[in-house]
Amino acid sequence: MTKVKICGLMEVQHVKAAGQADAIGFVFAPSKRRISVEKAAELAKHVPAGVDKIGVFVNAALEEIERTVREVPLTMVQLHGDEPDELVQAISVPVVQAFSIRTTADAEKLGRSVADFVLVDAPGTDYRGGSGHVFDWTLLAGAGIDTSRLIVAGGLNPDNVAAAIGQTQPFMVDVSSGVETEGVKDAVKIKHFIQKAKGDSMQETIEKVGFFGKYGGQFVPETLMKAVKELEDSYTEAKDDPEFQKEYHHYLKEYVGREQPLTYAKRLTEAWGGPKVYLKREDLNHTGAHKINNAIGQALLAMRMGKRKIVAETGAGQHGVATATVCALFDLDCVIFMGEEDIKRQQLNVFRMKLLGARVESVTKGSATLKDAVNEALRYWVTNVEDTHYLIGSALGPHPFPTMVRDFQSVIGEETKRQIVEHEGRLPDTILACVGGGSNAIGMFYPFLKDESVRLIGVEAAGEGTETEKHAATMTKGTEGVLHGAFMKLLQSDSGQVLEAHSVSAGLDYPGIGPEHAYLADIGRVEYKAITDAEALEAVISFSRLEGIIPALETAHAISQAEKTAKEMNKDEILVICVSGRGDKDMATYAEKLEGLA
Amino acid sequence: MNRLSVLKENGEKAFVAYIMAGDGGLDRLKEQVQYLQEAGVTAIEVGIPFSDPVADGPTIEAAGDRALKEGVTLEKVLNEMAGWTFEVKVPLLIMTYLNPVIKFGVERFAKQAKSAGVSAVIIPDLPYEHRQLAETYLKKEDMALVQLVTLTTTEKRLDAILQEAEGFVYAVTVTGITGARDEMSNDVRTFMRRVREKSPVPVYAGFGISKTHHVDLLRDDVDGFIVGSAIVQAFYEDKIEDIKPLIEAVTAPNPV
Ligand SMILES: Cc1ncc(COP(=O)(O)O)c(C=O)c1O
């Protein structure tokens, strides 16, 4: 796939907008886009890992180039002057040499370049073959340039970039003025350009195997690779098998009790005084939360693969209960890893799992919460991989898990879409869902991703506040990294150690977020907000009393944010909250935290 | 890393020792490396502590936690190694999970590891499919990215992995995580033979090697052994002399 470089960046907001590009350029030569080394170093801090930082120079001395490489730091250098070969060769990072091509002689010069990449500046080129200036690509073909070294620049913009790529198949395209408005970079145009260059439809990007933009992948020990690949193959095949789909939907209807209503929340709507509020009632599912949608799907798949042993992790215990439940239903062997901390705060669910016949293993390592339970479940899987399926509980882990979990949870959004049209004759304006690992949210959002009029908001846990160290606000505070098999966003220290998350809600107490969410945040399709423990607990009370539904603590985060968002909305608008689960499991916490409730 | 191939040609077995950098404080690393090279090991893997070491068993995880409590980071380990003035006589490897490397910057890591005298890197959670992420930069610095193969690696993958193998191949003896074990399954010998027949580079058995009888069992089917948990624990308990017989069992000229 052709890479994208956004050149001549001068401001943090534009560097951020270029986060999905493969390279960004800083200009150090005289130009209206010239910046100082200090400024570039500051901007470089906002460039994600893996994105190349390219410095542009014209006839600079080696010492100056090398000093800039060190101080920014740059990963590549681009030369636009008459730099001699010795200089090109002396530079310590890969070099791009730029050429303006008018004649065969120019092309030959380019053919002889000793640089790692050659950039062809072809301004005024009309790639659509119209009446404008057409660059003569045969000049290049004659010079024997191999396109794997070729970077195309000059006159590119969001409208012609796809055609330019189709025509020249270069290693990279480079744009600067084409993503500006009145001489200044334009964040919207930058994103638009990248999207166009990387393939127009969001679907295409999303389905690129195992990756959502740059997030995802299969970062697991070699022992698991066979199992992960087998799962990938089996899932791909099962997904398109009508029999499998029929069986899955059969259990959703007859066992889980779907479809769940989309309830109009009359009193809440009145109390908030804003949009019409609807509630998607995942709390009514058998076992009390959305988790069972996924557990049913994965258990059916495990059996299809001939695996009758299941290992799972659980935070709040909801996924553990859902897994223990389907294991009882299908007579599967079941081991659940759960952090010691969570075992304490979710006693009732521990007992439910045991009653259902599961073995619950207490995890005392690390923070003794969800992250550590996932570690133990992965270790158990590594050791028992030949006959065991890892039934992961959120949109996390190595591919295909994030995609598969999303698909099994998409029933939430699909039903909602149909129901809201039945009730209101149109799509909602805003949808909110809480995010731990991100499964209920992605299940709710996915069917709406292409409906750009629908604002999607994921709500994470701010714990005691995002300004403290005790929170689980991965989107607000996290940075990119690899945990539990995927490249995603994480709460981590400067040295790359994963930090302990904190939330009063066990189900949101995780220091990462699923790769698809990380991607959707980057492209700006979904917004993420954070709600504190205290705000969530307040929402539990008001929601219970207004609607007669005691929500799960996780869900309460979405409700609390919904109240804030509703204040910015009009009466003729529609807001939907995903009520991911009911509060039975949290009764001990409620009793303790809300003591003296009047 | 050429030294390893020479060893193989001479029919000698390699002993690769794994240590957790900073277990007991970072200043111990130097002593430990010196001790091991004097004791006759072939190469040393310096482990970088990580908060979520999913490929490791309790011994190495506990050592990593102790090192993290000491404030050890990838950067500190590389700086420490770069500052060594004694003669390092054996190849040094870095064994690290991917995330600390990503956070540090892969390219910067490759450069600094090179300056610290590292000749190869092992990243257990970076599978063959994603190897470019690190390999490109390591190659530039002339360092090898050692690949792992396991009992569950399919034939096709094995061929692909071995074709590009550099330094040595790390052949995992168990379906599981690191940690000392008593027994070793019988399939292991067949597996090692299969790998060794195909591999252009030496094949070393690792994970669970802790007893001389493991060495005896696999000796004829591998080019060397990697010992981790047993060494980490011995250093921790101040009983490193107990490891000597194991080193000797491996490096002694062919027993009759
Ligand atoms: C009721 C409920 N909602 C939400 C979550 C968060 O998980 P996810 O983000 O995967 O939906 C949990 C997790 O345990 C839960 O039990």
Side-chain angles (χ1 to χ4, degrees):
Chain A
M1 196 180 195
T2 298
K3 295 181 184 288
V4 178
K5 176 183 164 215
I6 309 289
C7 202
L9 293 172
M10 306 175 75
E11 286 174 49
V12 173
Q13 59 169 129
H14 301 134
V15 169
K16 285 193 174 157
Q20 290 295 305
D22 303 287
I24 57 155
F26 298 129
V27 179
F28 300 107
S31 147
K32 63 172 184 172
R33 304 188 187 97
R34 180 181 197 163
I35 55 173
S36 66
V37 177
E38 294 70 42
K39 180 75 189 176
E42 187 199 315
L43 295 176
K45 294 200 184 99
H46 299 278
V47 179
V51 175
D52 273 306
K53 289 163 286 195
I54 306 184
V56 178
F57 300 87
V58 177
N59 295 331
L62 179 63
E63 300 75 67
E64 184 196 331
I65 295 175
E66 285 297 319
R67 183 175 54 83
T68 315
V69 166
R70 272 192 315 275
E71 288 177 10
V72 176
L74 299 171
T75 58
M76 284 170 87
V77 161
Q78 181 173 323
L79 305 174
H80 276 255
D82 306 304
E83 289 81 2
D85 288 354
E86 302 78 69
L87 177 85
V88 174
Q89 274 160 335
I91 292 171
S92 61
V93 293
V95 174
V96 180
Q97 204 168 13
F99 296 89
S100 253
I101 306 289
R102 304 229 154 61
T103 63
T104 328
D106 289 342
E108 276 166 13
K109 205 162 88 193
L110 173 140
R112 286 194 303 272
S113 169
V114 296
D116 303 84
F117 299 98
V118 288
L119 183 145
V120 173
D121 203 358
T125 299
D126 182 347
Y127 293 96
R128 281 171 297 188
S131 54
H133 170 86
V134 181
F135 182 75
D136 186 1
W137 295 104
T138 56
L139 285 176
L140 285 188
I145 295 297
D146 115 46
T147 53
S148 68
R149 286 176 69 201
L150 180 66
I151 302 176
V152 168
L156 295 176
N157 59 48
D159 295 329
N160 67 11
V161 62
I165 290 173
Q167 206 167 318
T168 58
Q169 297 293 329
F171 170 74
M172 190 185 283
V173 287
D174 188 357
V175 66
S176 185
S177 62
V179 290
E180 291 178 347
T181 300
E182 290 169 5
V184 178
K185 287 279 173 316
D186 180 328
V188 174
K189 283 189 184 168
I190 292 176
K191 286 189 186 172
H192 198 163
F193 183 90
I194 298 170
Q195 212 179 47
K196 291 284 183 183
K198 298 217 167 231
D200 209 354
S201 87
M202 181 174 244
Q203 192 65 21
E204 240 173 57
T205 327
I206 288 180
E207 295 297 343
K208 189 175 70 175
V209 182
F211 280 90
F212 308 95
K214 63 186 164 196
Y215 302 101
Q218 296 175 320
F219 296 94
V220 292
E222 176 62 24
T223 305
L224 289 181
M225 282 308 289
K226 181 175 159 216
V228 163
K229 294 273 181 206
E230 275 172 6
L231 186 63
E232 188 180 332
D233 292 344
S234 306
Y235 179 61
T236 310
E237 182 218 340
K239 191 171 71 171
D240 297 329
D241 178 355
E243 277 306 306
F244 179 81
Q245 290 299 337
K246 206 170 120 194
E247 206 182 1
Y248 164 66
H249 285 284
H250 164 82
Y251 284 105
L252 287 187
K253 176 163 183 277
E254 302 296 336
Y255 189 73
V256 176
R258 301 201 78 97
E259 79 177 35
Q260 300 308 354
L262 181 68
T263 309
Y264 171 53
K266 186 162 175 289
R267 292 193 62 209
L268 200 67
T269 300
E270 284 165 9
W272 289 354
K276 272 180 120 168
V277 179
Y278 281 89
L279 310 172
K280 181 58 182 169
R281 303 291 306 280
E282 293 302 306
D283 60 306
L284 294 178
N285 286 335
H286 176 45
T287 72
H290 66 293
K291 298 282 178 185
I292 193 138
N293 302 329
N294 167 51
I296 292 269
Q298 283 198 50
L300 291 173
L301 186 65
M303 290 188 290
R304 195 180 159 103
M305 294 172 68
K307 293 189 169 179
R308 301 201 63 90
K309 292 186 179 167
I310 301 291
V311 59
E313 83 298 335
T314 194
Q318 282 311 105
H319 175 58
V321 167
T323 304
T325 300
V326 297
C327 286
L329 176 66
F330 298 125
D331 189 21
L332 306 174
D333 224 52
C334 181
V335 186
I336 309 276
F337 287 92
M338 187 168 183
E340 194 182 31
E341 246 343 276
D342 292 337
I343 287 185
K344 271 188 233 149
R345 51 183 169 175
Q346 305 286 346
Q347 283 284 340
L348 180 66
N349 273 344
V350 176
F351 185 69
R352 285 162 91 190
M353 287 183 268
K354 288 185 177 163
L355 183 59
L356 289 160
R359 204 170 92 216
V360 180
E361 296 279 351
S362 167
V363 178
T364 52
K365 291 173 185 161
S367 53
T369 59
L370 184 54
K371 156 179 103 80
D372 310 280
V374 177
N375 288 346
E376 271 332 297
L378 278 169
R379 289 188 178 112
Y380 183 91
W381 196 31
V382 172
T383 311
N384 299 281
V385 63
E386 298 286 14
D387 61 358
T388 303
H389 174 71
Y390 179 17
L391 206 160
I392 204 165
S394 192
L396 297 167
H399 176 70
F401 284 111
T403 303
M404 182 167 81
V405 174
R406 177 250 280 155
D407 291 351
F408 288 138
Q409 292 293 4
S410 287
V411 62
I412 304 174
E414 282 156 12
E415 285 180 6
T416 302
K417 202 165 178 175
R418 185 163 11 93
Q419 291 166 320
I420 195 71
V421 172
E422 278 165 21
H423 284 298
E424 295 284 340
R426 69 176 185 91
L427 295 180
D429 298 284
T430 302
I431 306 179
L432 295 106
C434 65
V435 243
S439 69
N440 87 86
I442 200 70
M444 175 55 110
F445 295 164
Y446 189 67
F448 291 95
L449 285 182
K450 283 194 235 159
D451 302 304
E452 285 186 16
S453 67
V454 184
R455 182 177 175 201
L456 304 171
I457 303 176
V459 188
E460 55 184 11
E464 295 180 6
T466 49
E467 70 292 345
T468 70
E469 282 180 2
K470 294 196 146 191
H471 62 78
T474 316
M475 283 299 190
T476 315
K477 291 289 200 167
T479 51
E480 291 165 5
V482 171
L483 180 67
H484 298 148
F487 188 58
M488 54 181 184
K489 284 199 173 145
L490 293 181
L491 298 176
Q492 58 182 325
S493 72
D494 291 341
S495 64
Q497 305 298 340
V498 182
L499 298 173
E500 289 177 15
H502 169 89
S503 168
V504 64
S505 133
L508 304 185
D509 202 351
Y510 182 73
I513 186 152
E516 191 163 10
H517 282 288
Y519 171 71
L520 292 169
D522 274 6
I523 62 167
R525 179 63 190 96
V526 179
E527 296 162 55
Y528 294 84
K529 310 265 186 198
I531 287 294
T532 64
D533 290 351
E535 289 172 320
L537 284 163
E538 239 172 73
V540 169
I541 305 172
S542 58
F543 192 75
S544 300
R545 293 181 176 183
L546 282 167
E547 289 299 328
I549 301 168
I550 299 174
L553 252 175
E554 292 78 14
T555 308
H557 288 72
I559 297 167
S560 176
Q561 179 59 45
E563 183 170 1
K564 292 186 189 179
T565 305
K567 296 228 157 71
E568 304 155 10
M569 295 173 69
N570 301 325
K571 278 194 194 304
D572 54 3
E573 290 185 297
I574 303 165
L575 178 148
V576 173
I577 304 171
C578 183
V579 181
S580 58
R582 56 181 181 241
D584 309 22
K585 70 181 176 61
D586 296 309
M587 227 38 87
T589 311
Y590 293 167
E592 182 195 330
K593 301 273 179 191
L594 306 176
E595 206 186 342
L597 195 66
Chain B
M1 301 296 283
N2 284 342
R3 240 188 281 189
L4 305 183
S5 296
V6 174
L7 208 62
K8 175 180 165 129
E9 277 158 30
N10 295 343
E12 290 171 51
K13 303 293 173 193
F15 186 104
V16 181
Y18 171 94
I19 48 182
M20 174 56 75
D23 183 12
L26 198 51
D27 19 312
R28 284 200 69 193
L29 184 59
K30 179 170 145 182
E31 285 165 40
Q32 293 174 343
V33 167
Q34 284 173 325
Y35 180 89
L36 290 168
Q37 63 178 17
E38 291 316 320
V41 307
T42 319
I44 300 170
E45 270 179 39
V46 176
I48 305 297
F50 181 51
S51 52
D52 298 84
V54 292
D56 285 304
T59 306
I60 293 180
E61 181 176 31
D65 286 347
R66 292 192 295 266
L68 288 175
K69 284 216 180 76
E70 299 272 349
V72 173
T73 63
L74 174 59
E75 182 163 25
K76 286 185 186 168
V77 174
L78 293 177
N79 288 343
E80 162 72 19
M81 290 169 68
W84 285 346
T85 49
F86 66 94
E87 188 193 351
V88 179
K89 301 178 201 159
V90 298
L92 297 178
L93 291 84
I94 291 277
M95 170 112 164
T96 176
Y97 286 86
L98 184 56
N99 197 52
V101 176
I102 290 190
K103 188 73 189 166
F104 191 74
V106 185
E107 186 169 20
R108 182 168 158 234
F109 167 71
K111 290 202 167 122
Q112 299 204 10
K114 182 71 183 178
S115 327
V118 173
S119 47
V121 175
I122 304 175
I123 306 178
D125 56 347
L126 182 65
Y128 175 75
E129 281 75 0
H130 298 329
R131 68 190 181 288
Q132 307 90 313
L133 202 70
E135 202 178 44
T136 330
Y137 297 106
L138 294 175
K139 271 212 170 120
K140 260 192 216 159
E141 303 297 332
D142 208 19
M143 283 185 288
L145 178 66
V146 171
Q147 297 287 343
L148 287 89
V149 295
T150 70
L151 294 160
T152 60
T153 304
T154 57
E155 208 61 33
K156 229 170 95 187
R157 268 178 83 74
L158 188 65
D159 289 344
I161 294 174
L162 291 178
Q163 201 173 6
E164 296 186 31
E166 303 170 300
F168 62 88
V169 166
Y170 195 136
V172 178
T173 56
V174 294
T175 306
I177 51 182
T178 61
R181 286 170 177 78
D182 277 334
E183 295 309 319
M184 204 125 285
S185 95
N186 270 329
D187 315 342
V188 175
R189 290 195 64 178
T190 344
F191 167 65
M192 292 296 164
R193 252 178 251 151
R194 195 156 60 93
V195 177
R196 199 163 175 233
E197 262 165 35
K198 295 183 168 188
S199 176
V201 292
V203 176
Y204 297 171
F207 279 35
I209 308 284
S210 52
K211 305 255 159 51
T212 44
H213 71 255
H214 300 145
V215 173
D216 295 340
L217 175 75
L218 293 176
R219 190 174 176 93
D220 293 336
D221 304 310
V222 299
D223 302 306
F225 295 88
I226 303 164
V227 179
S229 299
I231 293 185
V232 167
Q233 194 61 20
F235 271 128
Y236 177 56
E237 292 174 358
D238 261 330
K239 287 187 191 155
I240 191 66
E241 309 77 46
D242 294 3
I243 294 295
K244 279 207 166 148
L246 192 60
I247 302 180
E248 274 154 25
V250 172
T251 54
N254 258 353
V256 206

